[in-house]
Every structure is written in structure tokens, then in C-alpha cells.
């Protein structure tokens, strides 16, 4: 598959995964809801296309796109979202914590900005082991107001670590606009620490990939951290609860304008129509298989609700007598 | 036998583990020169790649250690001040601790956090004198409070080797403790195994950290009237409930002394468990800091809110008398 076709396939996979997941939320098969990534697919696809399988990423609450683009199995990913024993995390993580360590995916994360320091520490470990692996931390525009992330920029720059910070600026931290939350500029945050920063069109997968390649090459060569701000529009809700809550913070006109520039069309138009149709069909079959697999998969046994609480297998005392976990 | 101080025991444990395992590294503030006398000499011995002086960015370097641990290292972090643990509670309780379960067992986070000088150091006032071990036990982070030099050595070793996050509190009141130990016999001490420092038959005193010394002094003072057993849990989570049950089965009477706040403190958990599951012949007592205490600066005020030896003595006498 050509590079262009590969980028499109990743985006199409994320898009259809998200659309079907939203249906499964409404059908009650995915409890707790999801933070849809629709509209931002070019960012995950472009950045992850610049990475190797042994590179590391940390993701966000809106993490499905990153996890899929980095190579997690969409079938087991959907099983995770539906809380099944066959899920990536055996149903222990769900949408906000999906991870696949065998692919360098250190997990989606429920706390805004929390993945930055984790990725940077992993990058440090990669350097110490003598490898040229890099780590990428994805986060949104809301995260650039988190102190721990700014502290992390300082550590990464100070110690010249191979970490790429990718800020997906979709214009809103939940309902708060960037204008309401960011003094100065987003790239200025990184530049203040001497980290090379660029702003790219996050609806254009090729533009994102080009920027990511530069940054990754710099990291592998010992040139330290980089920062990419990728602007995009979130097509759907902050979280699927909005579908019922009907909170109003974006006008219909704004949403329509935002959706008019679809990253799948921006990049899809670079492919032959039959190539695109072929990918669409292949992805459709894969997603259909994923849904069937997830819904057919067994639910985890409640007796094991606290399995893996400790890596050492330590078991604490019972709380309410449901679990057979007494130490005595 | 050689004379070993508590601080030297910590230093030796860290140095020995760094020598034994290349994955062990230490991060913290002013650790290169070793302002707390635990990391002294490590920079010269192991180099700046493994002994890393950090900027004053506790939240970042705590999660940085989590990332390094996820990628295969075994970091140890020194916190100069116990209250800094409040600052990084998110990074420890909500990130490091939760990775194993949330990932379905894919990830392990072997990080050790240690505070050389927890609790009151006299005159360090409100923001440098807390003893928040109960918070970590409550959320399920492995929590260790050694009382003696040999346990400081052995528990630090075990904490570093453990595949989960472990917080080790080295109480300021214990740092000066010295003991005659057989250096060749020093070795790892398992988590979740308490230690009876003095056997007795009338009253079980559970003492945490530096208060073990106070409990031993009280036991000696009362020796001709009351036979006191001094039980040191050594680790608060996991807790040696079997060890406590064995002691209480003998004495039927229980007093806990714990240098942390009363409300939701570890002493309360110990009394509750004893009341639920053990045969107590009289109501138990606890000697703690008051509810919601903030340590005031002036020496007499500071001491007024810390549990004291004479309070323990009175509590033991009362528990003993109330059953006769």
C-alpha cells in the first residue's frame, strides 16, 4: 500500500470505528460513553505514520485515534470499549485507558496533560538503553494550561530527550474556547523552553506527517524534543453525553463550517477513486467483524474484578464480601 | 556486630541496590550533594545518568519516573519534605498505582518514593511536618514505615525490588536511631510482615515508625505492673493482620499509637479491624494527633499535637485497669 493510501486507510479506520462506537453507545453496548475523535483523524494518522512499532505514545481521553493509528488491533480495541474479557485491557480500562504495550501504546489517559511526563520519562529510558526510539505525547489545547505539562517541557528540553509533543488544537477544552483559556500562543509555550515548535493544518494528513518526520528525525539524532500544534475541528461532541444533554456552546453555522473541511476528503481526493473505494470496503468489513467479535465476546468474571490491581499479585481484604480475595 | 544508623542504613540499601541492578536510578532535589544524607556519595559512584538532580518540578519528575518505569527502569525518588507528597498525589495515586489494573496487567510501575524525615522535625511548622502514610494506604499504594536501622535497610531493598509503586516514610524521629547489627545478615524484609519487638501478655501496643521507641520505653517503664507486647506493623499496606490477631489473641487488649491525624487515620483502621475480627476483652484505645491537626510552629505547640510517650503510658494503664 502506498504511503498516501496507508494514511487514508488509517483515517478511514478511525472514522468508521468512531461512528460505529457512537452507535454502540446509543445502543447501550458501550457504557459510560466515549470522546469521539471524528474530525481529527489526520493528526493521529500523520504522526503515527512517522513512527516505528517500537516507538512509544501516550494518549488522551480522546484516544481511540492514536491507539488505532499506532497499530492496536481494532477488533480487540472494540472489545475493550464494550467491556469484554477479550479486550486489549481485558475490560479493565475501557475507552479512556485503552493500551497495548506490545505496540508501544502506553495508554489513553483520563487526566488532561498527564501523559506528557510519562512519555518523557519513557524517552529517557529509551536513551539510557542506547536505542534511538522516540516517544510521542498527544494532548489537546486544554492541556497547555496544565502546570505539570509545562514542567515537563522544561525537563524534556533541559535533558534533550527524544520526545515529540503533539498539541491537537480543536478549539475547545470541553466547552471553553482557546481564546478563553490560552494567554499568548500555544506554540509559544514550547518556544519559551527552546523547543522547536511548528503549527500545521491538522486536517491535512500529509502536512502532519511531514512535520512529524522532521521532529522524529531530530529526536532520533539526539536533537531533543519538538512540538507540533495541529489545528483541527472536532466534528462531534466533546463526549457522547452531549447527544442527550444538548449543551450549546457551538453554533450550527460554526459546526457546519468546521465539518465542511473533512480530513478524509482532503486526503482522499489525492487517491484514485477505486483505491479509495477499495479501502472503504476493506475497512467496513473489518469494523463489521470487530463489532461482531466484541458483542460475541464473554464479559469478564466479577470474581476477578480486582485482578491485576498489583503487578505482584498482592490481594487486599474483601470490601463487601463479593470477592473471594481474603488474605487469610 | 557493627553500629548502624538508620540514615546510613537507607544510604547503604540504595547504594547496594544500584550496584546490584543497573535499572535502579535515583531522582530528586539536591540529591547530588545529598542534603538529606541518604544519597551521599552516589553521584560519584554511579554518575549523573543514574543520580539525577531534578528541577523543582515534583509533579513532572514523579510521572517522568512512571514513564521510565513503564519502559523498564526502576526509579527511586527522594522527596525532601513529606508534604510534597500532597503535590504529587495525582501522579502516584491516580497514575502510577492504577496502571497495572487499568491495563489488564500489561504494565508495571516499579517506582519507590521515599521521604527521609517525615513527620515533625521540630520547628519546621505547618507545611513541612505531615505524616500522610494513611492516605497512601487508603488508596492502596504499598506503604512502608520502618522503625529500626535493619528494617530501614531491608524494607528499602524490598521496596526497590517490588514491581509496584511503594512509598517509604522514614520518620524524622527515627533517623537518629542506631543499632548493633550483623552487617552480613542484612537483607530484604518482606512487605506485610510485622515484627514483635517485645513480647508481653497483658496489652498489645501497635506502634508505627519512630513511635516504636516510645512504645518500648513505656513497656519497660510498666514492666513490673503490666506485660506489654510491642507490635510494629512495619508496612501499613499490606498490613500484617495475622500477626496482629496473634498478638491480640494473647492479650485481649489493644492500644495503637500513630503519629497522624485521628480522623480516618491508620489507627482507626486497626481498631476497627480488631473490633470486627479479634477477641478484645475491653474497648481499645488510640493515641494520635488530633482531628485535622496542622502542626503549629512553637516547640510546645508542636509537641502538644504529637502523640507522646506519657499519653501512651496512660492509655495502656487505662486499658489494663478497665478489665480488672
Amino acid at each position: 500500500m502506498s504511503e498516501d493510501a496507508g494514511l487514508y486507510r488509517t483515517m478511514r479506520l478511525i472514522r468508521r470505528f468512531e461512528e460505529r462506537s457512537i452507535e454502540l453507545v446509543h445502543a447501550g453496548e458501550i457504557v459510560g460513553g466515549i470522546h469521539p475523535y471524528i474530525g481529527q483523524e489526520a493528526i493521529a494518522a500523520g504522526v503515527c505514520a512517522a513512527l516505528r512499532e517500537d516507538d512509544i505514545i501516550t494518549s488522551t481521553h480522546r484516544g481511540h485515534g492514536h491507539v488505532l493509528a499506532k497499530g492496536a488491533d481494532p477488533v480487540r480495541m472494540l472489545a475493550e470499549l464494550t467491556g469484554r474479557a477479550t479486550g486489549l485491557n481485558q475490560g479493565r480500562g475501557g475507552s479512556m485507558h485503552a493500551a497495548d504495550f506490545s505496540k508501544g501504546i502506553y495508554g489513553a489517559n483520563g487526566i488532561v496533560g498527564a501523559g506528557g511526563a510519562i512519555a518523557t520519562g519513557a524517552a529517557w529510558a529509551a536513551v539510557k538503553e542506547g536505542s534511538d526510539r522516540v516517544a510521542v505525547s498527544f494532548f489537546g489545547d486544554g492541556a497547555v494550561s496544565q502546570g505539570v505539562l509545562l514542567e515537563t517541557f522544561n525537563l524534556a528540553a533541559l535533558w534533550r530527550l527524544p520526545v515529540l509533543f503533539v498539541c491537537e488544537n480543536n478549539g475547545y477544552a470541553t466547552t471553553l474556547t482557546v481564546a478563553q483559556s490560552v494567554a499568548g500562543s500555544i506554540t509559544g509555550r514550547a518556544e519559551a523552553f527552546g523547543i522547536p515548535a511548528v503549527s500545521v493544518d491538522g486536517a491535512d494528513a500529509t502536512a502532519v506527517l511531514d512535520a512529524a518526520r522532521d521532529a522524529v528525525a531530530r529526536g532520533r539524532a539526539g536533537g531533543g524534543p519538538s512540538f507540533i500544534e495541529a489545528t483541527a475541528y472536532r466534528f462531534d461532541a466533546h463526549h457522547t453525553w452531549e447527544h442527550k444533554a444538548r449543551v450549546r456552546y457551538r453554533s450550527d453555522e460554526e459546526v457546519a463550517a468546521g465539518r465542511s473541511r473533512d480530513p478524509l476528503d482532503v486526503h482522499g481526493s489525492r487517491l484514485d477513486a477505486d483505491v479509495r473505494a477499495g479501502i472503504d470496503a476493506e475497512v467496513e468489513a473489518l469494523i463489521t467483524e470487530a463489532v461482531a467479535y466484541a458483542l460475541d465476546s464473554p464479559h469478564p468474571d466479577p470474581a476477578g474484578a480486582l485482578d491485576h490491581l498489583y503487578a505482584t499479585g498482592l490481594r487486599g481484604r474483601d470490601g463487601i464480601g463479593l470477592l473471594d480475595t481474603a488474605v487469610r | 556486630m557493627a553500629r548502624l544508623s538508620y540514615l546510613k542504613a537507607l544510604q547503604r540499601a540504595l547504594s547496594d541496590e544500584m550496584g546490584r541492578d543497573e535499572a535502579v536510578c535515583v531522582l530528586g532535589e539536591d540529591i547530588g550533594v545529598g542534603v538529606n544524607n541518604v544519597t551521599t556519595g552516589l553521584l560519584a559512584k554511579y554518575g549523573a545518568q543514574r543520580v539525577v538532580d531534578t528541577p523543582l518540578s515534583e509533579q513532572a519528575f514523579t510521572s517522568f519516573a512512571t514513564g521510565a518505569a513503564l519502559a523498564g527502569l526502576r526509579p527511586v525518588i527522594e522527596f525532601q519534605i513529606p508534604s510534597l507528597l500532597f503535590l504529587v498525589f495525582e501522579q502516584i495515586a491516580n497514575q502510577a498505582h492504577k496502571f497495572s489494573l487499568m491495563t489488564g496487567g500489561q504494565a508495571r510501575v516499579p517506582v519507590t518514593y521515599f521521604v527521609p524525615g517525615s513527620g515533625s522535625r521540630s520547628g519546621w511548622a505547618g507545611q513541612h511536618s505531615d505524616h500522610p502514610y494513611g492516605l497512601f494506604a487508603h488508596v492502596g499504594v504499598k506503604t512502608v514505615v520502618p522503625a529500626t536501622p535493619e528494617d530501614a535497610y531491608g524494607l528499602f531493598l524490598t521496596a526497590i525490588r517490588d514491581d509496584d509503586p511503594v512509598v517509604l516514610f522514614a520518620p524524622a524521629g527515627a533517623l537518629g536511631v542506631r543499632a548493633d547489627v550483623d552487617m552480613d545478615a542484612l537483607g530484604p524484609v518482606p512487605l506485610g510482615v510485622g515484627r514483635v519487638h517485645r513480647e508481653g501478655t497483658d496489652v498489645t501496643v501497635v506502634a508505627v515508625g519512630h513511635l516504636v521507641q516510645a512504645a518500648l520505653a513505656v513497656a519497660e517503664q510498666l514492666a513490673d505492673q503490666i506485660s506489654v507486647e510491642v507490635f510494629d506493623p512495619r508496612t501499613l499496606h499490606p498490613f500484617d493482620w495475622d500477626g496482629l490477631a496473634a498478638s491480640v489473641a494473647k492479650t485481649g487488649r489493644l492500644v495503637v499509637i500513630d503519629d497522624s491525624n485521628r480522623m480516618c487515620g491508620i489507627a482507626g483502621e486497626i481498631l476497627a479491624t480488631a473490633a470486627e475480627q479479634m477477641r478484645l476483652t475491653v474497648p481499645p484505645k488510640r493515641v494520635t494527633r488530633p482531628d485535622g491537626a496542622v502542626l503549629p510552629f512553637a516547640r510546645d505547640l508542636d509537641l502538644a499535637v504529637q502523640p507522646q510517650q506519657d499519653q501512651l503510658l496512660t492509655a495502656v494503664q487505662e486499658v489494663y485497669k478497665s478489665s480488672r
Side-chain angles (χ1 to χ4, degrees), chain B residues 16-64:
Chain B
D16 285 356
E17 271 312 275
M18 293 186 78
R20 199 186 66 83
D21 182 354
E22 287 244 324
V24 178
C25 47
V26 55
L27 301 114
E29 293 159 357
D30 311 300
I31 61 170
V33 295
V35 292
N36 284 307
N37 299 312
V38 175
T39 54
T40 313
L42 296 182
L43 179 60
K45 196 167 179 185
Y46 297 109
Q49 288 302 309
R50 295 181 65 196
V51 180
V52 183
D53 260 317
T54 59
L56 309 191
S57 304
E58 292 84 10
Q59 298 185 328
F61 69 66
T62 300
S63 270
F64 181 91

Side-chain angles (χ1 to χ4, degrees), chain A residues 51 87 94 115 124 133 159 171 183 188 258 263 281 285 327:
Chain A
L51 300 179
W124 183 60
R133 295 196 292 160
W159 298 335
V327 282

Side-chain angles (χ1 to χ4, degrees), chain B residues 204-206 254-258 267 270-271 285-288 312:
Chain B
T204 297
V205 170
V206 176
L254 176 63
V255 176
V256 182
I257 183 162
D258 155 30
I270 294 168
L271 296 197
K285 282 191 181 295
R286 55 184 151 153
V287 182
T288 66
L312 176 62

Side-chain angles (χ1 to χ4, degrees), chain A residues 109 128 308 310-311 317 328, chain B residues 49 100 140 164 242 269 277:
Chain A
N109 201 301
K128 282 168 73 73
H308 311 298
Y310 298 96
R317 294 175 294 164
R328 285 189 295 285
Chain B
Q49 288 302 309
S100 180
D164 290 308
D242 288 344
E269 178 58 34
Q277 299 177 1

